[in-house]
Amino acid sequence: MPAVTRLRDAAERAGVSVSVVSRVLSEDPSLRVREDTRARVLLAVGELGYTHNHAGRALRLRWSGAIALLVPDMNNAIFAEVSRGVEIAAGEADLVMLLGRSEWLDPDNSRAARLCQQGRVDGLIVQLRDEEKSPEILGMLPPQVPAVLINWHQHRGLSSVAIDDEEAGRVATAFLLELGHRDIGLVGGFEQTSTARAREIGYRRALADAGVARRAGWTTRLGYTPEAGRAAFAKLLESPPLPTAIVVANVNAAAGVLAAARDARFAVPEQLSIVTVHDTWIADHTTPALTAVRVPTYELGAEAARTLTRVMHGGRKQHVMVSDPPPVVVPRSTHAPGPYA
Amino acid sequence: MPAVTRLRDAAERAGVSVSVVSRVLSEDPSLRVREDTRARVLLAVGELGYTHNHAGRALRLRWSGAIALLVPDMNNAIFAEVSRGVEIAAGEADLVMLLGRSEWLDPDNSRAARLCQQGRVDGLIVQLRDEEKSPEILGMLPPQVPAVLINWHQHRGLSSVAIDDEEAGRVATAFLLELGHRDIGLVGGFEQTSTARAREIGYRRALADAGVARRAGWTTRLGYTPEAGRAAFAKLLESPPLPTAIVVANVNAAAGVLAAARDARFAVPEQLSIVTVHDTWIADHTTPALTAVRVPTYELGAEAARTLTRVMHGGRKQHVMVSDPPPVVVPRSTHAPGPYA
DNA sequence: CTGAAAGCGCTTACAG
DNA sequence: CTGAAAGCGCTTACAG
């Protein structure tokens, strides 16, 4: 570590005690200092380019100024976008973001717990793996650790932040209904994940609102990966008749559906319309480009950081739904008028 | 912050002084302690679940145990993959990774410089934005700050880690030559970026080795984005004749090329073969799926973390080329035999 | 309005 | 082999 200037150096240069420098720099409004003293201090600080030493400050203040974002996989455009939101909102709260993996929560010798206990981070933002049966894994964390679960609705044990997944599912479905489709399937996520359930509810509600019957065989719940999407399409093929349109609950799965449809020489959108949730840039680069429901992923991350900040400052556990901007369909090339148009 | 156990608590429980606990935990092999003392200490530590307080340790030891990875945009599969490598290798060196943006280097009030000066991070891994004219921006960093530039070859001022970009360009081109193409263009990156230059050299060398002429009009250097790819294709169209094949220096640009070709109703690979550098998962999800040169992106990140560690431990500036595994073509669906097959 | 002092939790010469 | 003490750089009661 370079020999940096300490509070003491600045104090000596300004001809005051360290207390004064520290207080001037703290910008405590209740503080009385003579104007010329303050000026001298600021001058010295400026000349020396003094910045407080973080470790000294953290030790004294008992906080680290860091939060950790734990995701299953950065190699997922959705989480990458969330991380941008977290990083930026954290920065606005003068917090720094540490990037980690959801594995860090794994019970035996949890790295996340250690980080918290060591005082390296003040809180956690957690995206669970979809395979996780439930967020019980978080039970492994010391209960005092401030944490917020993202993409989870109303978890009883922890604060959570989610987007309006139900509305996203509803909007996607309503769009297809309006196009004249009635035979609409759902390629959904795992049943145990909160977002998958919400999106499915939205899908069902849109159908119900339109008085359109739902066919159980047209709903699959295989997950949010391209492979899951492929599998879902295969399953659909197995039990004809096929729907004329499907809602896919996740864009990565939608890419898989599209690939499988292509392999099966199925024409999209002529034979099958597809609307997916999540407007990541992959949606714009498939062929045909995916019609997608844009959801506030970035805002989700930002709100998670803000919520965590509140919790860290002693706020109560809370459940936040990010509903601004609301889910909206971005029409591209995977939808076509349905038979009832 | 939760009331965690301190060294003192463990010491009291074990009936020894804090010095002993600290020393036992440090695992200094040169240390003499009675076996039963050590056992008592370890027992107490285990029972209490003691972990050292990070701030105390960092203050005393004058290091933070953290590094920062600065990238232009996480929403780029290549950097996401690099970050995985960095994170994992950092973890192996007991370092934690802070994720930041290249903007943090911007001269006025550089956040990166502050982070270093505060002792919040011990070093930096930097991916420059492609628009950056040159790495001179790093001149803004205090010279003592350990830093390594990634995706840059042989920068004179700083350590750097890069993949074998020349070989990647060569392999891509050689693959097309072998397929019977001779009219081969290059959709390259900005001239000022080191990787773009290297990939272009590889492309030229492959042509030269095969005794095939290069046509200047078939080389564009518009950057690594989908938009750049689209623009490059448009430019190619403007000045016929067209090559029968192109090497694209970056997969994101390749996605743009593909989209533009589709819009122009150009048949890939029948009328135009495409081989791109970077085998991110996007390559597998375009239509047709991109034939790509797989390069060791993950390893690049991991090696960057290791190199930075060495530099932080006082090692000299160094330039590392990650050449294992070597660049290799992953054949998919954007290549076809050329006219000289 | 300003300063001297304590103490955050740790490691490590130094004594014994 | 073990302990008492100093000191890393900071903030903040407490005194004046």
Side-chain angles (χ1 to χ4, degrees), chain B residues 196-269:
Chain B
R197 288 194 300 264
R199 288 169 202 168
E200 180 166 345
I201 290 171
Y203 156 79
R204 291 185 184 212
R205 190 152 63 82
L207 292 182
D209 287 353
V212 168
R214 194 176 58 82
R215 196 179 161 118
W218 287 343
T219 293
T220 58
R221 302 184 187 88
L222 302 175
Y224 287 162
T225 62
E227 296 69 38
R230 294 191 93 106
F233 185 79
K235 207 166 162 186
L236 235 38
L237 279 185
E238 278 170 18
S239 48
L242 258 60
T244 60
I246 52 176
V247 170
V248 185
N250 174 289
V251 66
N252 299 319
V257 169
L258 218 47
R262 180 175 75 225
D263 291 352
R265 313 208 162 282
F266 224 81
V268 174

Side-chain angles (χ1 to χ4, degrees), chain A residues 222-240:
Chain A
L222 301 175
Y224 287 162
T225 62
E227 297 69 38
R230 295 191 92 107
F233 186 79
K235 207 165 162 186
L236 236 38
L237 279 185
E238 278 170 18
S239 48

